[in-house]
Amino acid sequence: MAIELNEGFATRLRSSIRDSRLTVVQGSAEFIDGFLGEHGLPAPDAVISGIPFSTMPRAVADRIAAAVAGALARAVASSPTRCGRTWPTTPRRTSAGRAGSGS
Ligand SMILES: C[S@@+](CC[C@H](N)C(=O)[O-])C[C@H]1O[C@@H](n2cnc3c(N)ncnc32)[C@H](O)[C@@H]1O
């Protein structure tokens, strides 16, 4: 799923990229959760962004960052072994007192 704020650019992406795997949504990335839900998509494994965070109002940037972090956290919570690997846990102590591998 691609989220683009500019309506003209979103329309252009839809018409120029003919790929059945691509869903282009017009709107703000602040609402990523709502867009995922509307399209029946699960939480994302990754988010790639070209959003100009440094030139937008701080409050908007913060809301986008929080929404994206929340979506990514849901992906980890729903499937800790996604991609065939386990996510890091707190290192365990060995009998010698050193941190072990955690596995
Ligand atoms: C620098 S352009 C990058 C465009 C594209 N990623 C590329 O690499 O060609 C930044 C894009 O972010 C979009 N954008 C800005 N704020 C956004 C937001 N809140 N949600 C989604 N897209 C946003 C703009 O409309 C613009 O198309």
Side-chain angles (χ1 to χ4, degrees), residues 9-88:
F9 192 25
T11 300
R12 185 171 178 156
L13 289 171
R14 280 191 205 101
S15 61
S16 62
I17 302 175
R18 301 276 182 190
D19 188 323
S20 59
R21 297 168 299 177
L22 176 64
T23 299
V24 178
V25 172
Q26 190 270 313
S28 175
E30 291 160 84
F31 309 111
I32 183 172
D33 277 333
F35 296 138
L36 289 167
E38 278 172 26
H39 291 277
L41 294 168
D45 289 329
V47 174
I48 300 168
S49 167
I51 291 175
F53 283 102
S54 61
T55 58
M56 64 175 46
R58 177 66 189 258
V60 178
D62 286 349
R63 285 199 299 271
I64 294 171
V68 167
L72 291 170
R74 279 194 296 110
V76 174
S78 67
S79 184
T81 58
R82 226 150 147 167
C83 306
R85 55 180 279 228
T86 52
W87 295 92

